[in-house]
Amino acid sequence: MTADTTADALSLLSAEAVRVRAHRMLEIGLDSRLRHFRVDLERLGATVDLVLATTQKAYPTFDVPFHSRWRHFVVGELDRWDALAGATAWRDKTARARAEFDLAIVSVLLDAGAGASWRYRDSVTGASVGRSEGLALASLDMFARGAFSANRDEPLRVDATALERLTLADLQDGFQVSEGNPLVGLEGRVGLLRRLGQQVSALPGIFSRGDAPRPGGLFDHLAAQADKGSIAAATILSELLRQLGPIWPSRIALGGIALGDCWRHPDIKTDDATSELVPLHKLSQWLSYSLIEPMQRAGLDVTDIDGLTGLAEYRNGGLFVDTGVLVLRDPDDMRREHDVASTLVVEWRALTVALLDRLADVLRQRVGLDPVSLPLAKILQGGTWAAGRATAFARRPDGSPPFKIISDGTVF
């Protein structure tokens, strides 16, 4: 492995690389040279109208929170995490931040699509909750009862040793999985959490601050990098990708460095070792967005939120397909199954990232706000994710994505 190859590989572990290559994909699409999609920007205005109306309905004063895992812990009028954290005697702000990092990391890694049929029965409300919200409640309930802790006296933590011992039966029980209530990609999720435990154990200098190694130790690592109490959002992502990169399933590696949510597309050419590689880092960016609020509560200033990109997932991507901005060259692709590594899915996801930037620019112009006051994290929440879900249910009874995607539970 040469120094140049290492540098090339590390360059893909960033939000900037995601954005640059996504916009390159859009340029190719606008030239009508993509293999699977045509891009109709004349439809973007109507999509912005839909997103704006969706946002104004949910947030009439435009006081939109960040798109993050914490939104899914709110059921009805009750913020379940806030209630649990408020009843806990924390030693200090740092102790709470570590616990919130623990929870967010595990919960986000478990949030990679549930399938249309899975439901979680909430013991508090009796409601049957599916999809991301159901996954969030299931992971929060497991966390609250100490399912990820190695210390019975301190349930609200995640220990590397507990993750390494996690079994398929543990997750089946925690997520109420049965033959009649299947959860897609369950084995992939268990494997991901086990590898998280192994990686955290292997890096005590990053994940341990005087106690047992835990994912929440990353808070201290990031806080130490803050300059006068400030840290850029993109730095959070870069550190997540570098420190947790080995936990992802073996896909593409460059110079021995695992590239995670990064895929091949033959039309994305460069003059270095990264040619044809398209990084997307969806779950890691979703996690980065979810770590911002714990850092803010601990007194840190997270800057340049738009240094992160939009999320290459099926709600945002489905929005552009269902509103006609993205049009399949072969309509029969709607009926076929597609692997996440297929050129069709890679095109779709990269185009989604670039189009979210385009949509955000137009939407901000409409409402007279800038990227600081209305970052992508709020547009997603307001926003594109909710509008994508609504259009999916309007077009398909089960609210499924516009394409049938073969997933192992570690991508979407």
Side-chain angles (χ1 to χ4, degrees):
M1 178 174 63
T2 67
D4 287 345
T5 303
T6 300
D8 289 344
L10 293 176
S11 73
L12 295 176
L13 303 183
S14 69
E16 180 182 10
V18 174
R19 179 166 273 123
V20 168
R21 303 215 172 184
H23 280 274
R24 177 59 186 146
M25 192 77 78
L26 180 57
E27 289 172 7
I28 297 170
L30 292 174
D31 286 341
S32 197
R33 292 188 288 114
L34 284 178
R35 296 159 191 247
H36 300 286
F37 289 95
R38 291 186 296 103
V39 182
D40 184 359
L41 282 187
E42 291 188 0
R43 301 287 299 175
L44 187 62
T47 307
V48 172
D49 291 340
L50 175 61
V51 172
L52 184 56
T54 303
T55 303
Q56 290 174 322
K57 182 178 180 180
Y59 305 98
T61 64
F62 246 73
D63 184 20
V64 187
F66 290 157
H67 186 61
S68 76
R69 194 52 159 169
W70 306 105
R71 306 291 80 77
H72 292 156
F73 296 140
V74 179
V75 183
E77 299 298 319
L78 178 61
D79 186 328
R80 302 278 273 274
W81 168 247
D82 190 60
L84 180 59
T88 302
W90 304 104
R91 291 189 300 275
D92 50 35
K93 289 182 178 180
T94 297
R96 174 169 174 166
R98 289 176 186 143
E100 290 180 331
F101 264 53
D102 279 338
L103 172 58
I105 291 171
V106 167
S107 187
V108 166
L109 293 184
L110 288 168
D111 183 31
S117 60
W118 177 82
R119 294 290 185 274
Y120 182 73
R121 175 70 66 176
D122 179 27
S123 62
V124 176
T125 64
S128 183
V129 188
R131 304 188 184 274
S132 286
E133 292 87 345
L135 293 170
L137 283 178
S139 60
L140 177 60
D141 285 347
M142 289 185 72
F143 181 77
R145 64 176 180 265
F148 306 115
S149 174
N151 185 345
R152 290 185 179 181
D153 297 327
E154 195 176 346
L156 301 185
R157 61 179 290 138
V158 175
D159 287 296
T161 54
L163 291 176
E164 290 179 80
R165 294 195 300 262
L166 194 71
T167 68
L168 186 64
D170 292 331
L171 218 54
Q172 286 175 325
D173 180 62
F175 281 72
Q176 302 173 358
V177 176
S178 66
E179 287 187 11
N181 191 36
L183 177 64
V184 299
L186 190 65
E187 293 84 357
R189 296 170 209 258
V190 173
L192 192 61
L193 290 189
R194 285 177 183 160
R195 291 191 296 274
L196 172 65
Q198 294 163 1
Q199 180 70 0
V200 169
S201 291
L203 296 175
I206 301 294
F207 294 103
S208 179
R209 289 297 185 274
D211 62 354
R214 57 189 291 193
L218 187 65
F219 168 78
D220 301 84
H221 176 71
L222 289 171
Q225 296 190 42
D227 181 15
K228 297 179 181 178
S230 295
I231 187 169
T235 300
I236 300 173
L237 175 65
S238 293
E239 285 300 315
L240 281 172
L241 293 172
R242 293 185 185 215
Q243 306 305 337
L244 298 183
I247 75 173
W248 299 103
S250 179
R251 295 181 180 125
I252 298 175
L254 182 60
I257 296 174
L259 300 180
D261 186 6
C262 182
W263 312 89
R264 296 192 184 279
H265 193 286
D267 295 336
I268 304 299
K269 301 290 189 183
T270 66
D271 57 3
D272 61 12
T274 69
S275 189
E276 299 189 1
L277 295 181
V278 182
L280 295 163
H281 305 312
K282 181 263 173 175
L283 275 179
S284 295
Q285 293 212 73
W286 171 232
L287 178 53
S288 297
Y289 281 126
S290 299
L291 296 181
I292 291 173
E293 289 163 82
M295 297 186 78
Q296 291 175 330
R297 280 191 284 268
L300 293 167
D301 180 24
V302 180
T303 60
D304 190 19
I305 306 298
D306 265 14
L308 299 174
T309 77
L311 301 179
E313 49 82 52
Y314 67 84
R315 290 304 183 203
N316 293 316
L319 173 68
F320 293 116
V321 173
D322 287 338
T323 58
V325 178
L326 294 178
V327 181
L328 280 170
R329 293 188 179 278
D330 182 358
D332 286 342
D333 278 330
M334 284 282 189
R335 292 182 285 276
R336 300 181 180 116
E337 286 192 337
H338 304 279
D339 189 89
V340 290
S342 68
T343 55
L344 183 147
V345 174
V346 176
E347 275 183 24
W348 177 45
R349 297 181 71 205
L351 289 168
T352 296
V353 171
L355 287 170
L356 285 169
D357 279 345
R358 292 282 189 113
L359 181 147
D361 288 341
V362 177
L363 193 148
R364 289 174 186 134
Q365 292 171 11
R366 295 266 186 96
V367 298
L369 296 174
D370 60 23
V372 175
S373 53
L374 190 61
L376 267 172
K378 294 187 176 184
I379 292 173
L380 296 172
Q381 175 64 25
T384 58
W385 191 89
R389 173 179 274 187
T391 57
F393 275 99
R395 287 175 173 266
R396 294 170 292 280
D398 62 355
S400 59
F403 312 116
K404 298 175 182 178
I405 303 164
I406 304 167
S407 176
D408 64 359
T410 65
V411 176
F412 289 105

